[in-house]
Amino acid sequence: MKTNIYIVSKAIQTGKTTDLLQWCKQQSNVAGILTPDVDGSRKLYDIKQKQTFDFETKEVLPANEITPIGRFHFLTEGFKQAQQIIHAGVGSEYLVIDEIGRLELNEGKGLEPSLGQVIKQYVSKAVSGNLVLVIRDYLLEACMEKYSLHDAQIIQSPEEINKQNELIGLVLCGGKSTRMHTDKAFINYHEKEQVYYLADKMKLLSSSVFIACNATQKEKISEHYKTICDSATFENTGPIAAILTALSHYPTHSFLVLACDYPLLTLTDILKLKSAFLSTQKSVSFYNEETGFREPLLAIYHAHDLQKLLSFYESENTSLQHFLNEIDAVKVKPTDLKAIKSIDTKLDFDEIKSLITHN
């Protein structure tokens, strides 16, 4: 079923509200709230009625009339008004809620209880239309857990809403895993087998996700996940086979490529990779400063480079590392080098078990 919940998630003060305000002007049936900064003070904007109301206040008011958020004070009546606007907008083509913060997440105040009630309606698909939520990056995973937003699409800009199919997710199962003595794709690190853990993370970033596998692995993969089986044309050429096989099916798309070898990779890491791709419009990969190597199995290959990859292969080259160097792919530094550590042996596995968290 088509996604009906989108999460705009970026760091603080990166233009989320401004982007949404411009996007809303281009839509014909959009409702909800925005909280723009006007002359250094937060306002409440009713998108459908195109009306602006006072929200943040610097006045000294009785305690029951203000809601403090850190050093800022907001009108309690403003939150009540926001809740009314949200409820009235249910069923619009797009309902925008800017934004979910610690007040809602940890204290059940602010936009609550209306926020939780409305999200529940969209999660259960009890209402028509699309829900667009704004969540700061550092609160993203906690909010997704609290509100059961596991089928939402995470975007950096509202312009991505109608472009999700342009980026295809590829989970690489890998080869024979001879050093691990068991197939790495099916190791359970995070309460589910790694291949499904990665595929589920990818579904938050792209509406088209495939598990790239060989014929033997395909028989083991759940019918709830789409697969692309390596073509015999590229047999015994390593991970490049998976990408070239996918390219033969989707010659005009870009590919988000993640291998099952990296169990410490988090959703935040993947978002950082996608953000770099969107901002540069170039192929990107994580870069290990200690080794001086790009990570070709933690990368996004831009559509305009994938035809070059085919020519690269036809010239009898199969190293994705060399290909990324050749096209000078954008280097993305991980927040923590542990996130891009490949776990290939039983010894590696034993060493990182204590670092595994359920992200």
Side-chain angles (χ1 to χ4, degrees), residues 163-176:
K163 297 181 179 180
Q164 289 296 295
N165 288 323
E166 293 182 6
L167 181 64
I168 287 179
L170 286 181
V171 180
L172 303 194
C173 279
K176 298 178 181 179

Side-chain angles (χ1 to χ4, degrees), residues 49-120:
Q49 300 301 326
K50 297 180 172 61
Q51 290 181 296
T52 302
F53 305 93
D54 288 335
F55 196 23
E56 184 184 344
T57 181
K58 293 179 174 61
E59 295 182 43
V60 178
L61 298 171
N64 66 330
E65 294 184 20
I66 60 170
T67 299
I69 304 178
R71 60 189 178 88
F72 302 102
H73 287 175
F74 290 82
L75 297 170
T76 301
E77 193 61 34
F79 279 110
K80 293 179 181 177
Q81 189 172 19
Q83 291 188 51
Q84 292 172 0
I85 295 170
I86 290 169
H87 273 299
V90 172
S92 302
E93 183 176 0
Y94 294 101
L95 173 61
V96 178
I97 301 177
D98 174 24
E99 64 180 351
I100 303 176
R102 293 193 187 279
L103 197 63
E104 291 79 19
L105 179 64
N106 299 330
E107 301 182 41
K109 297 179 181 179
L111 299 176
E112 291 291 5
S114 295
L115 175 68
Q117 294 166 358
V118 167
I119 290 177
K120 188 174 182 179

Side-chain angles (χ1 to χ4, degrees), residues 339-354:
I340 60 171
K341 177 176 173 57
S342 177
I343 305 304
D344 301 310
T345 69
K346 184 65 168 58
L347 180 60
D348 290 339
F349 173 77
D350 291 338
E351 288 178 350
I352 63 99
K353 277 193 295 187
S354 62

